[in-house]
Amino acid sequence: MIAATGIYLFAFFDTSVTGAHASLERLTREQWWFGGVMRSLHRYASDAFAAVALLHLLRELLAGHFRGFRWFSWATGVALLWFIYASGIVGYWLVWDRVGQFSATATAEWFDAFGLGTGPVVRNFLSAADVSDRLFSLFVFLHIGVPLALLAAMWIHIQRIAHTDTNPPQRLGWAVFGTLVAMSIARPALSDAPAAYGTLPQSLPFDWFYLFAHPLMYASSPLALWWIAGAATLALLALPLLARRKRSAAVVDLARCTGCGHCARDCPYLAISLVPRSDGRAFLKQAVVRAEQCAACGICAGSCPTAAPIARGEVLPGIDLPGDPLQAIKARIDRAASRSVVFRCRHERWPMPQDDACVITLECTGQLPPSFVDHALRRGAAGVTVSGCRPGACEYRLGGAWTEARIAGTREPHLNTRVPRERVRLHWWPARNNSTGLQAAALVLAAALLTWLSFDPPYRPLGAGEALVRVIVVHAGERLQPCRKLSAEELALRAPNMRAPEVCERGRHPLPLQVEFGGRLLVDELLEPAGVARDGAAQLYRRFVVPAGRHALRVRVSEAPRPGARAWERAEALELAPGRVLTIDFRPEQGGILFL
């Protein structure tokens, strides 16, 4: 849905600074019945995508699905969050309204926390002259390129998962689509006012699904937000290392393996593959288990046709779990006598049966070969109950579904058709919720929450009666030693490509900077030169929230902390209206200290 609506919007989008906002407004207003709905669908579907991704992460975290063999899916899923948010945030920049301008500036300030590059990134957004069509071309490239990278990362994310179902049930899909369309009509996604340089609005309609990091940064600092984001990412990535749970992987018995491929087909995590036979027996293939991917769920043992119990012999399957072999399960069945037998999944939360049933705990119901049900009934069991996680909520994804299909006779190996089905009961936990009214109510509640957090509560960048002062300095200080001009003889001794007329020793003086505002010093620092040899330009970017009104402002910049060094100074009395953004920029090529 996001891709389809995005392609349609791009067909009408003007990729220029002056035309971007106007083209989207024209599409939204003049073609509201379709173009406006498509734009709103794009917005709401993107927000829903972020919300579902976060809920999925929370669900997997609470379920402990980051341990052992799941580390690959967990780590790639954590990385996907960065792609999701990068895709969504850049999309707001393309609108280039006040929200997009605020987000782009805030993101630039976040990257400027490290002072990397040739100057602060935020310099690209100071005035209309600084924002070029080339910059917008970069935005378009990012908004197309990052989602494509996201798609590739999603493909990598599911590489260790078999039988992936990436499409929702048809009924649910249409219900979600209809809900998003209704939201788009009820509350269309509209642009804010066009980007305005030099001012900040009192409030902004804010998408809290994607833009929540900006208020968090201004409530703390850009560096603090880097620490929060980095620490959260590293903590999530480290969970598989801190909570490793080693269990013995399934083992193949070549003497019994026929190479039928049932185990490889049923494995939920692609841990089993078929390779050419290595023992010379008259079978084409043999199963091989990749231990690092094995979940030790036992589903492979339950799918093995050679796992049939023999009345007075041992169970010798072609593949089995060393820590929980099928022979031990058969022995418990044999001791059950005439009692009912309950095969119970270890991960289900349903209370244990209170009657005199023989309860046999399995790692997963998929570990149960259907022939064991037949064996229990032939040994005199009053009945057999298979109890576990329902299909769709299985701890190992497919155990419940495969068990249900094997008992129903639609998947091999299946339950013997002569077994009376009235003596076999399937009990799944949690029970399916088939209440249409409850499902509709949940969808309406989710839609209301999605609509609200997509715009409300509004964010207030500045308080009442406040203005903003930004200070930007990028300049190379005076050299520690003056450059020396080379003589003709010295130049002749050098290679032709190395005949620079002067030799300059590396190293520069720090820049003294003072900014006095309203009688108090906002900045009084020595800006150190960049680079290992300390010969690069010194950089500084700071922002200060100040009271609005009339204030005396004095700025002084010197090329070296010594008397007689080249210096610039400017002093003025300025009237700052509420919401005004005053930028103090140092550009010697344009006259020195600029008040923008």
Side-chain angles (χ1 to χ4, degrees), residues 311-334:
R312 296 184 179 180
E314 291 188 7
V315 180
L316 299 173
I319 188 169
D320 204 356
L321 292 181
D324 191 13
L326 293 180
Q327 175 58 31
I329 298 173
K330 175 183 177 291
R332 295 203 62 187
I333 295 174
D334 293 341

Side-chain angles (χ1 to χ4, degrees), residues 56-398:
H56 177 59
L57 177 73
L58 179 62
R59 177 183 181 273
E60 297 301 288
L61 177 65
L62 295 178
H65 290 172
F66 48 79
R67 299 183 178 93
F69 68 97
R70 289 187 172 101
W71 74 267
F72 180 83
S73 298
W74 175 261
T76 53
V78 171
L80 278 173
L81 289 178
W82 286 88
F83 286 97
I84 292 171
Y85 276 92
S87 301
I89 290 173
V90 173
Y92 276 96
W93 303 352
L94 290 177
V95 182
W96 207 236
D97 57 359
R98 294 186 301 181
V99 176
Q101 181 192 22
F102 173 81
S103 176
T105 304
T107 305
E109 291 177 350
W110 191 42
F111 281 99
D112 285 336
F114 297 106
L116 302 177
T118 58
V121 182
V122 76
R123 244 188 182 175
N124 294 294
F125 306 103
L126 296 183
S127 65
D130 296 312
V131 182
S132 64
D133 289 347
R134 289 185 62 187
L135 183 63
F136 250 70
S137 297
L138 175 62
F139 290 171
V140 173
F141 172 78
L142 289 175
H143 196 50
I144 295 175
V146 176
L148 289 176
L150 168 63
L151 193 61
M154 290 173 66
W155 177 78
I156 295 172
H157 179 58
I158 61 174
Q159 283 310 291
R160 289 194 174 186
I161 300 176
H163 306 282
T164 53
D165 189 3
T166 55
N167 294 318
Q170 191 176 52
R171 182 180 174 186
L172 176 62
W174 282 111
V176 171
F177 176 73
T179 302
L180 292 176
V181 170
M183 292 164 55
S184 302
I185 296 173
R187 189 172 186 181
L190 303 174
S191 303
D192 196 44
Y197 305 93
T199 61
L200 271 177
Q202 288 295 312
S203 65
L204 290 169
F206 222 61
D207 186 343
W208 292 94
F209 289 103
Y210 281 103
L211 306 181
F212 69 90
H214 301 330
L216 181 60
M217 182 184 74
Y218 290 130
S220 53
S221 70
L223 198 57
L225 182 59
W226 276 112
W227 276 107
I228 293 170
T233 302
L234 291 177
L236 291 173
L237 290 175
L239 282 176
L241 301 176
L242 301 176
R244 302 196 75 170
R245 184 179 63 187
K246 292 185 177 180
R247 300 179 61 241
S248 299
V251 175
V252 176
D253 182 0
L254 273 184
R256 298 285 295 170
C257 178
T258 63
C260 65
H262 287 177
C263 55
R265 180 196 62 185
D266 284 4
C267 179
Y269 301 104
L270 300 174
I272 304 173
S273 57
L274 296 178
V275 299
R277 202 76 190 189
S278 63
D279 59 356
R281 296 184 65 200
F283 298 105
L284 294 177
K285 301 288 185 179
Q286 69 182 50
V288 174
V289 178
R290 288 181 289 276
E292 71 278 3
Q293 288 181 230
C294 181
C297 60
I299 291 177
C300 53
S303 70
C304 185
T306 63
I310 303 173
R312 296 184 179 180
E314 291 188 7
V315 180
L316 299 173
I319 188 169
D320 204 356
L321 292 181
D324 191 13
L326 293 180
Q327 175 58 31
I329 298 173
K330 175 183 177 291
R332 295 203 62 187
I333 295 174
D334 293 341
R335 293 195 297 269
S338 60
R339 293 183 296 164
S340 296
V341 176
V342 177
F343 295 102
R344 187 174 190 269
C345 172
R346 186 173 69 85
H347 301 278
E348 73 160 316
R349 277 72 169 177
W350 199 260
M352 293 285 285
Q354 299 299 317
D355 56 11
D356 192 32
C358 173
V359 179
I360 301 175
T361 301
L362 308 173
E363 182 62 30
C364 175
T365 55
Q367 185 185 3
L368 177 67
S371 56
F372 276 46
V373 176
D374 188 11
H375 179 72
L377 293 174
R378 285 190 285 108
R379 295 286 294 179
V384 172
T385 299
V386 181
S387 175
C389 313
R390 67 171 173 83
C394 176
E395 174 71 13
Y396 297 106
R397 297 183 54 246
L398 302 173

